[in-house]
């Protein structure tokens, strides 16, 4: 099958979170399974663009409402990522350094989608599957079916994968004119609560909708930022497929970002060496258990409860533990986490920002990873942590619930709690401190976690079978 993935992110070209990881890996494993998967994404001005060689694949022009624009599609020359990678350049809209966070994000991603449609419309053939990811590309299924210009693609099946339903790309109906001429009777396929809602439109129009874990799909029918009824209504075409992880990028025995490599066999030694280096870097104590958090500092991740939980832990269990935080997001949470360094210098450190290298070193050197998330569609961090023998402390929600079994349950290897509160997290931390003293049990759980197979090889077939059913 020929599958085209359309996405705002793809690791290592541009990544802001789990979406990038998934789109950087899934197509590679689809190609390895004998299919022809490719990715098209915006041409941001990132390091990857300047460090690689490109061919011009296509030059076109089209309109977004009354606004005429020209676009260029370039293709990475050597298939470095294991699949064909195409970037769309639109001057004035996509030529930015960051993926998101601009006032005109709606126009940016609309123009990207229109350019991709226009490009595919010029192909001599049609792909077997058009696979869209999140709201930035969720208007494509509508355009394929109801824009007169793109009739050629109206019989091609489209799939929408929802990595995060909190963000829906909602815009006022004044932007409706930007979409290339469409069948006005189909107004309802774009509308949700009197707004133009790309994610809702994608759910209505795609042939199949997937979420990145089964538990998340179940939750969306009760909490989905206003789309609950839609998920209930469309449940027949929705399915959950748990994300995999790229075992080649995330492998403690070969990871190029970390200094001391290890396998499950020598996990105790390997983690000790990595922890030593990590603690030395941030003035922490390598003899104490090291608790870490990596991620976006936003409400979904419950980053706001971290300061209280950490301060309570340090107050209740003085001199017994260390904390290290890596993340960025809500400025108020950033300031609080940063400010705490003054009072807790030798047991706490926060790095505010995004740092891929450091994240790998933290997974390798930490003892426990905290994920108190309020919402977690799949969560990759806990899977990476387990692969590196780091025990996850997670709230029982979404994909965390599907991947972590509490150590108190048969065959368990992690710590789960029910509420995104400082109290629940504190309790989980105290259980972890108890485990840290039982070195034998800790080592056997580390080995157990490292043996769990969350690879894409194990999950790629679920996507392929779903595509086949649509042919
Ligand atoms: P989400 O996509 O909701 O942010 P996921 O758990 O699915 O969460 O994916 C998060 C990914 O982003 C992981 O690869 C994680 O290591 C990475 N990440 C998040 N924040 C940072 C950061 N500040 N520095 C480095 N990597 C980060």
């Amino acid at each position: 099958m020929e599958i085209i993935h359309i996405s705002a992110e793809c690791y290592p070209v541009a990544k802001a979170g789990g979406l990038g990881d998934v789109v950087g890996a899934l197509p590679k494993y689809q190609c390895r399974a004998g299919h022809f998967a490719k990715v098209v994404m915006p041409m941001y001005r990132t390091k990857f663009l300047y460090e690689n060689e490109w061919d011009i694949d296509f030059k076109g022009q089209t309109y977004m409402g009354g606004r005429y624009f020209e676009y260029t599609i370039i293709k990475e020359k050597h298939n470095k990522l294991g699949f064909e990678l195409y970037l769309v350049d639109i001057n004035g809209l996509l030529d930015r350094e960051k993926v998101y966070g601009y006032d005109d994000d709606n126009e940016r991603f609309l123009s990207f989608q229109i350019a991709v449609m226009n490009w595919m419309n010029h192909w001599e053939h049609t792909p077997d599957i058009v696979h869209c990811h999140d709201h930035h590309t969720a208007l494509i299924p509508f355009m394929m079916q109801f824009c007169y210009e793109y009739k050629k693609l109206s019989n091609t099946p489209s799939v929408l994968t929802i990595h995060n339903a909190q963000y829906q790309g909602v815009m006022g109906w004044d932007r409706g004119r930007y979409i290339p001429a469409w069948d006005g009777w189909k107004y309802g396929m774009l509308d949700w609560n009197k707004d133009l809602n790309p994610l809702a439109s994608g759910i209505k129009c795609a042939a199949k909708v997937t979420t990145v874990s089964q538990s998340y799909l179940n939750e969306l029918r009760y909490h989905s930022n206003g789309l609950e009824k839609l998920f209930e209504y469309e449940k027949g075409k929705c399915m959950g497929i748990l994300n995999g992880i790229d075992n080649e990028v995330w492998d403690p025995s070969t990871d190029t970002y970390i200094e001391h490599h290890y396998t499950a066999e020598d996990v105790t030694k390997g983690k000790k060496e990595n922890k030593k280096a990590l603690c030395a870097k941030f003035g922490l104590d390598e003899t104490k258990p090291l608790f870490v958090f990596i991620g976006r500092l936003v409400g979904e991740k419950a980053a706001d409860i971290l300061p209280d939980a950490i301060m309570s832990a340090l107050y209740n269990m003085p001199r017994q533990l260390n904390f290290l935080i890596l993340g960025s997001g809500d400025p108020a949470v950033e300031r609080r986490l940063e400010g705490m360094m003054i009072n807790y210098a030798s047991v706490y450190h926060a790095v505010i920002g995004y740092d891929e290298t450091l994240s790998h070193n933290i997974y390798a050197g930490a003892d426990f990873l905290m994920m108190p998330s309020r919402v977690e569609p799949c969560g990759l961090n806990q899977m990476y942590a387990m692969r590196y023998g780091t025990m996850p402390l997670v709230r029982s929600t979404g994909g965390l619930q599907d991947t972590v079994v509490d150590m108190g349950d048969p065959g368990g290897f992690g710590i789960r709690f029910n509420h995104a509160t400082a109290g629940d997290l504190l309790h989980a931390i105290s259980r972890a401190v108890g485990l840290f003293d039982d070195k034998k049990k800790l080592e056997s759980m580390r080995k157990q976690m490292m043996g769990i197979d969350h690879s894409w090889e194990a999950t790629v077939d679920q996507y392929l079978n779903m595509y086949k059913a649509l042919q």
Side-chain angles (χ1 to χ4, degrees):
M1 281 180 285
E2 180 178 350
I3 306 138
I4 177 156
H5 291 272
I6 310 174
S7 172
E9 298 178 35
C10 173
Y11 175 82
V13 192
K15 162 178 162 183
L19 167 64
D21 284 337
V22 173
V23 179
L26 174 61
K28 177 165 84 179
Y29 290 95
Q30 290 177 335
C31 287
R32 286 197 193 160
H35 298 275
F36 177 34
K38 44 186 161 185
V39 171
V40 57
M41 65 181 294
M43 181 173 138
Y44 312 109
R45 301 307 192 246
T46 62
K47 213 167 130 206
F48 189 92
L49 172 69
Y50 301 112
E51 288 180 351
N52 288 282
E53 293 185 276
W54 306 86
D55 283 325
I56 292 183
D57 182 79
F58 188 78
K59 273 177 176 288
Q61 61 277 315
T62 183
Y63 289 88
M64 177 166 65
R67 180 172 175 176
Y68 169 86
F69 69 91
E70 293 176 354
Y71 68 92
T72 306
I73 309 266
I74 60 170
K75 179 173 176 244
E76 195 270 316
K77 254 186 176 173
H78 309 291
N79 273 10
K80 252 188 154 172
L81 304 185
F83 51 82
E84 287 189 356
L85 170 70
Y86 296 87
L87 307 185
V88 181
D89 189 26
I90 304 175
N91 280 332
L93 285 163
L94 299 181
D95 49 349
R96 316 268 170 91
E97 280 175 22
K98 285 190 300 169
V99 180
Y100 315 114
Y102 300 99
D103 288 343
D104 58 351
D105 277 356
N106 283 335
E107 283 80 1
R108 294 173 65 229
F109 291 113
L110 252 168
S111 66
F112 167 62
Q113 293 175 86
I114 294 168
V116 171
M117 288 300 300
N118 194 278
W119 172 54
M120 288 197 295
N121 218 21
H122 281 87
W123 294 5
E124 280 165 14
H125 68 291
T126 51
D128 296 305
I129 293 284
V130 172
H131 193 149
C132 307
H133 296 267
D134 274 352
H135 76 83
H136 328 97
T137 61
L139 287 171
I140 298 250
F142 175 89
M143 292 196 228
M144 287 167 64
Q145 285 176 66
F146 304 122
C147 289
Y148 301 114
E149 233 184 285
Y150 310 132
K151 247 197 156 37
K152 181 175 159 184
L153 287 153
S154 61
N155 289 324
T156 302
S158 59
V159 173
L160 171 68
T161 292
I162 300 176
H163 300 255
N164 194 334
Q166 291 301 109
Y167 306 100
Q168 300 169 5
V170 179
M171 53 188 115
W173 261 107
D174 53 322
R175 308 293 217 303
R177 67 182 194 285
Y178 288 159
I179 301 173
W182 48 280
D183 177 356
W185 288 101
K186 300 294 186 258
Y187 166 91
M189 300 303 260
L190 290 170
D191 184 78
W192 191 252
N193 284 340
K194 301 197 166 45
D195 280 319
L196 200 169
N197 185 321
L199 192 71
S201 170
I203 298 166
K204 293 178 192 184
C205 299
K208 198 87 193 170
V209 175
T210 70
T211 60
V212 289
S213 72
Q214 184 58 45
S215 289
Y216 184 53
L217 177 58
N218 301 342
E219 287 169 12
L220 287 172
R221 282 157 59 193
Y222 304 99
H223 307 283
S224 51
N225 209 2
L227 300 184
E228 295 78 8
K229 282 195 183 128
L230 184 59
F231 279 107
E232 177 61 34
Y233 185 73
E234 297 285 10
K235 63 183 175 210
K237 67 156 121 152
C238 296
M239 69 187 286
I241 303 180
L242 193 70
N243 280 339
I245 60 173
D246 192 333
N247 271 353
E248 288 171 0
V249 176
W250 299 93
D251 181 352
S253 67
T254 53
D255 189 331
T256 49
Y257 290 115
I258 67 172
E259 217 171 294
H260 308 284
H261 294 130
Y262 59 97
T263 62
E265 287 315 303
D266 58 351
V267 55
T268 303
K269 180 172 162 274
K271 286 197 77 66
K272 200 172 170 187
E273 287 168 348
N274 284 295
K275 183 176 178 185
K276 190 174 176 186
L278 192 63
C279 287
K281 186 167 180 181
F282 297 111
L284 299 172
D285 183 346
E286 58 175 296
T287 63
K288 295 174 187 165
L290 178 60
F291 289 82
V292 299
F293 173 93
I294 301 174
R296 293 180 293 119
L297 301 174
V298 296
E300 278 178 283
K301 304 281 178 198
D304 48 298
I305 69 164
L306 289 174
D308 287 342
I310 293 170
M311 283 191 286
S312 304
L314 292 172
Y315 178 78
N316 287 310
M317 296 171 266
R319 293 183 295 281
Q320 281 185 41
L321 66 181
N322 285 302
F323 289 94
L324 177 59
I325 309 288
L326 168 62
S328 60
D330 179 350
V333 179
E334 286 184 357
R335 293 296 83 75
R336 248 192 115 192
L337 288 169
E338 225 170 15
M340 283 164 53
M341 284 197 282
I342 300 169
N343 294 335
Y344 302 103
S346 57
V347 283
Y348 168 84
H349 194 91
V351 178
I352 302 301
Y354 188 95
D355 188 334
E356 193 73 28
T357 306
L358 179 57
S359 75
H360 285 244
N361 280 282
I362 294 180
Y363 290 119
D367 297 302
F368 302 100
L369 176 86
M370 303 178 289
M371 290 186 80
S373 310
R374 293 193 175 89
V375 184
E376 196 59 81
C378 173
L380 294 169
N381 298 21
Q382 82 280 14
M383 296 201 250
Y384 297 147
M386 291 191 268
R387 179 115 169 104
Y388 286 68
T390 301
M391 178 182 274
L393 274 53
V394 305
R395 186 171 98 79
S396 297
T397 187
L400 298 176
Q401 186 169 309
D402 293 357
T403 51
V404 178
V405 181
D406 189 88
M407 63 179 183
D409 291 332
F413 46 81
I415 293 179
R416 277 171 48 166
F417 51 97
N418 288 329
H419 304 106
T421 58
D424 268 32
L425 179 55
L426 182 62
H427 183 246
I429 291 171
S430 64
R431 286 181 71 199
V433 171
L435 175 73
F436 188 76
D437 295 332
D438 187 344
K439 297 281 181 252
K440 251 186 138 172
K441 194 166 172 194
L442 181 64
E443 178 167 333
S444 103
M445 282 189 182
R446 282 176 169 166
K447 288 195 159 106
Q448 184 185 348
M449 287 185 285
M450 291 179 78
I452 299 173
D453 184 5
H454 280 299
S455 65
W456 274 112
E457 278 105 336
T459 50
V460 74
D461 278 350
Q462 294 183 51
Y463 276 105
L464 296 172
N465 292 338
M466 180 261 294
Y467 296 156
K468 277 178 203 150
L470 295 175
Q471 299 301 310

